[in-house]
């Protein structure tokens, strides 16, 4: 047997675990059992509590066992395991302590579980996409040090014209295997509910599955990347690698070096550097819709490279999507209603923007009380999005009681892409812990917020410090009648 055949056999054995005709029923059974197993552990915990065991110790043990169970289930879905781990790891510092401690280890195991393609498999993949003489396209090709990607891996090489390039190669037969994965992954809303009761995850999981399907299409990714590269050409703050070639399951881009944000977070950085990087991330992640017509959707530390000249390099454009055309108008409408309107105005806005399904009731007073803290970055001078603030917002969002307004409202599917980018960006800000003017960035992003905040500053019920702060944000646009 040849080396290539042996290498291919290893990957195929991994992928065979995902074959819809080979063990799918066993994997489905494991997924759907998670809530029942979790409930069983909680029932056993009641018995242990009655026997004198500490409630905190019992709860920690329940979550540790459930976390390991979820890891075992997700570990069988190897085609998307790394991506799930990437997304959840963004919030390892802001989950409630009883969850973050238990699930952190399982998530780390999950991220390390993706298979690596050996040289024979890489050679076959390149032959399939670039032709049997693919070596002639490169002056050098580093086969020994691949970098992991969620559905493949990246090799550093030197293109035939002397440029350093990144060669992204998809796992062989990944499309078929991951399509089988996704059928199982859609059941993970049950698993997440076991972790965080009351959180409606099915729309999010469905959108995540659609995103993974898009990421399998390297032609689509190359198109996204080309749009960003053209929009940010010669930008003083952002560096996007040019697409060199895309064929089949191979995407070749310019290589951008620098320090990965992951490494920077591990070693630490001075406040000034963290402030600059955070501002760049916000401006790129959130403003890209205005500049490119699409929104960057993979806000993970591994996708950012800090350049020697201070620019922020960005890679991996498989997960990009568009916001609705009226998104900025909707944000202005929401902020204006919360700051300058009354309960009747908020009720009208909720229906107007379709945040409430027909026939459902909503506690509007509680909704306003719940949403106002999200505007604190606009209202409080020097406000910092820190671990405690995000943790409180998450705790409120996953509150399992029926009075939780997030359970009563509807999140329109066309906003999920924006929600994913916003959540990823917040996760990065918590890790970077900057001190920046989020209010000014918000007004720069959506100029329509300026008159809204000016009106809020004119409202007599606001305290003096907040009025002064809003006056500065609004550029002094405050009438003399105040």
């Amino acid at each position: 047997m040849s080396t290539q055949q042996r290498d291919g056999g290893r990957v195929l054995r991994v992928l065979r675990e995902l074959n819809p005709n080979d063990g799918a029923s066993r994997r489905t059974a494991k997924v759907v059992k998670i809530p029942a197993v979790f409930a069983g552990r909680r029932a056993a915990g009641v018995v242990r509590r009655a026997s004198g065991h500490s409630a905190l110790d019992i709860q920690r043990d329940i979550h540790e066992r459930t976390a390991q169970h979820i890891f075992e289930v997700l570990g069988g879905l190897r085609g998307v395991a790394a991506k799930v781990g990437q997304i959840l790891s963004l919030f390892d510092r802001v989950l409630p302590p009883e969850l973050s401690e238990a699930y952190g280890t399982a998530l780390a195991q999950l991220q390390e579980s993706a298979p690596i393609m050996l040289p024979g498999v890489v050679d076959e993949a390149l032959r399939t996409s670039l032709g049997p003489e693919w070596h002639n396209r490169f002056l050098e090709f580093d086969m020994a040090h691949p970098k992991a990607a969620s559905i493949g891996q990246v090799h550093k090489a030197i293109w035939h014209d002397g440029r350093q390039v990144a060669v992204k190669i998809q796992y062989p037969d990944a499309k078929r295997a991951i399509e089988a994965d996704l059928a199982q992954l859609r059941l993970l809303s049950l698993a997440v509910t076991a972790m965080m009761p009351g959180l409606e995850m099915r729309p999010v999981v469905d959108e995540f599955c659609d995103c993974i399907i898009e990421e399998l299409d390297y032609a689509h990714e190359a198109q996204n990347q080309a749009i960003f590269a053209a929009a940010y050409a010669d930008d003083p703050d952002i560096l996007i690698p040019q697409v060199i070639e895309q064929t089949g399951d191979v995407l070749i881009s310019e290589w951008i070096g620098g320090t990965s944000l992951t490494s920077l977070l591990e070693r630490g950085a001075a406040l000034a550097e963290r402030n600059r990087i955070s501002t760049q991330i916000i401006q790129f992640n959130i403003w890209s819709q205005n500049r490119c017509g699409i929104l960057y959707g993979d806000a993970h530390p591994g996708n950012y490279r800090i350049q020697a000249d201070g620019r922020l390099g960005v890679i991996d454009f498989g997960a990009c999507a568009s916001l609705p055309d009226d998104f900025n108008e909707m944000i202005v409408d929401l902020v204006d209603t919360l700051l300058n309107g009354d309960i009747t105005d908020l009720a009208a806005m909720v229906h107007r923007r379709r945040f409430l399904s027909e026939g459902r009731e909503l506690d509007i007073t509680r909704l306003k009380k719940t949403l106002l803290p999200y505007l604190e970055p606009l209202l409080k001078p020097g406000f910092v999005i820190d671990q405690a603030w995000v943790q409180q917002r998450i705790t409120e969002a996953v509150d399992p009681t029926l009075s939780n307004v997030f359970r009563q409202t509807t999140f329109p599917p066309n906003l999920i892409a924006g929600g994913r980018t916003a959540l990823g960006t917040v996760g990065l800000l918590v890790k970077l812990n900057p001190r920046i003017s989020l209010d000014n960035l918000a007004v720069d992003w959506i100029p329509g917020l300026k008159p809204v905040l000016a009106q809020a500053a004119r409202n007599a019920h606001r305290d003096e410090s907040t009025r002064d702060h809003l006056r500065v944000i609004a550029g002094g646009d405050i009438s003399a009648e105040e």
Side-chain angles (χ1 to χ4, degrees), residues 227-236 238 240 242 291 311:
I227 292 172
F228 276 90
Y232 285 90
D234 302 320
D235 189 277
I238 303 296
I240 309 297
Q242 296 287 337
R291 195 159 177 176
R311 287 183 296 172

Side-chain angles (χ1 to χ4, degrees), residues 397-418:
V398 302
D399 179 7
T401 63
L402 294 177
S403 60
N404 181 356
V405 291
F406 290 115
R407 298 185 63 182
Q408 301 169 14
T409 54
T410 299
F411 194 73
N414 62 356
L415 295 180
I416 290 178

Side-chain angles (χ1 to χ4, degrees), residues 1-13 118 120-121:
M1 179 182 295
S2 68
T3 301
Q4 178 176 308
Q5 287 174 321
R6 287 195 299 271
D7 293 346
R10 288 189 178 186
V11 172
L12 288 175
R13 281 195 296 275
L118 297 176
V121 179

Side-chain angles (χ1 to χ4, degrees), residues 222-341:
Q223 182 181 30
N224 290 339
Q225 185 173 329
I227 292 172
F228 276 90
Y232 285 90
D234 302 320
D235 189 277
D237 294 308
I238 303 296
L239 173 64
I240 309 297
Q242 296 287 337
V243 175
I244 304 299
E245 185 168 324
Q246 188 284 313
T247 306
D249 292 334
V250 173
L251 173 58
I252 304 172
S253 305
E254 289 180 327
W255 179 273
I256 59 173
T259 303
S260 73
L261 183 55
T262 301
S263 298
L264 182 138
L265 291 171
E266 290 174 352
R267 68 169 169 80
L271 178 61
E273 185 176 15
R274 300 200 315 272
N275 287 347
R276 187 194 77 246
I277 294 169
S278 298
T279 300
Q280 290 171 326
I281 287 175
I282 291 172
Q283 291 176 334
F284 178 77
N285 289 0
I286 307 300
W287 296 2
S288 62
Q289 170 82 11
N290 296 345
R291 195 159 177 176
C292 303
I294 53 178
L295 196 66
Y296 183 72
D298 208 350
H300 181 269
N303 290 334
Y304 300 92
R305 300 284 189 272
I306 315 306
Q307 304 299 297
D309 61 7
R311 287 183 296 172
L312 180 71
V314 187
I315 60 174
D316 202 343
F317 293 85
C320 297
S322 297
L323 292 171
D325 293 338
D326 64 346
F327 180 79
N328 286 6
E329 177 188 330
M330 182 203 69
I331 294 297
V332 172
D333 191 9
L334 174 61
V335 174
D336 189 25
T337 303
L338 286 172
L339 292 181
N340 302 317

Side-chain angles (χ1 to χ4, degrees), residues 334-335 337-341 343 346 365-380 389 393 396 406 461-462:
L334 174 61
V335 174
T337 303
L338 286 172
L339 292 181
N340 302 317
I343 297 300
L346 181 59
T365 301
R366 183 182 290 271
L367 177 66
K368 183 166 186 174
K369 180 180 179 181
T370 302
L371 291 180
L372 277 174
Y374 288 87
L375 300 186
E376 286 181 308
L378 296 179
L379 303 177
K380 294 186 176 180
W389 185 84
R393 304 287 78 74
E396 293 169 354
F406 290 115
H461 67 275
R462 301 216 171 271

Side-chain angles (χ1 to χ4, degrees), residues 13-140:
R13 281 195 296 275
V14 172
L15 293 173
R16 195 174 294 120
E17 297 176 13
L18 308 175
N19 191 310
N21 298 317
D22 183 9
S25 59
R26 290 193 297 274
R27 292 196 305 277
T28 300
K30 288 182 180 179
V31 173
V32 299
K33 279 172 58 180
I34 288 176
V37 171
F38 183 81
R41 291 188 183 117
R42 294 197 60 155
V46 173
V47 176
R48 292 175 60 194
R49 184 76 178 93
S51 301
H53 289 81
S54 162
L56 181 61
D57 289 342
I58 293 170
Q59 191 72 358
R60 183 181 296 111
D61 180 66
I62 290 172
H63 283 298
E64 285 176 352
R65 291 175 180 271
T66 304
Q68 186 59 35
H69 187 181
I70 291 174
F71 163 71
E72 291 171 358
V73 173
L74 286 172
L77 307 180
R78 291 178 182 270
V80 293
K83 179 60 67 177
V84 174
Q86 281 182 355
I87 293 174
L88 296 181
S89 68
L90 281 171
F91 299 96
D92 56 356
R93 293 178 56 185
V94 296
L95 290 174
E98 67 273 13
L99 294 179
S100 61
E101 292 176 8
Y103 294 100
T105 300
L107 291 176
Q109 290 176 300
L110 182 62
Q111 288 182 274
E112 296 170 358
S113 67
I116 295 177
M117 285 186 281
L118 297 176
V121 179
V122 173
D123 178 71
E124 180 61 28
L126 291 171
R127 284 173 177 271
T128 300
S129 292
L130 301 181
E133 305 299 326
W134 68 267
H135 294 89
N136 296 333
R137 314 287 292 278
F138 303 91
L139 297 180
E140 294 180 15

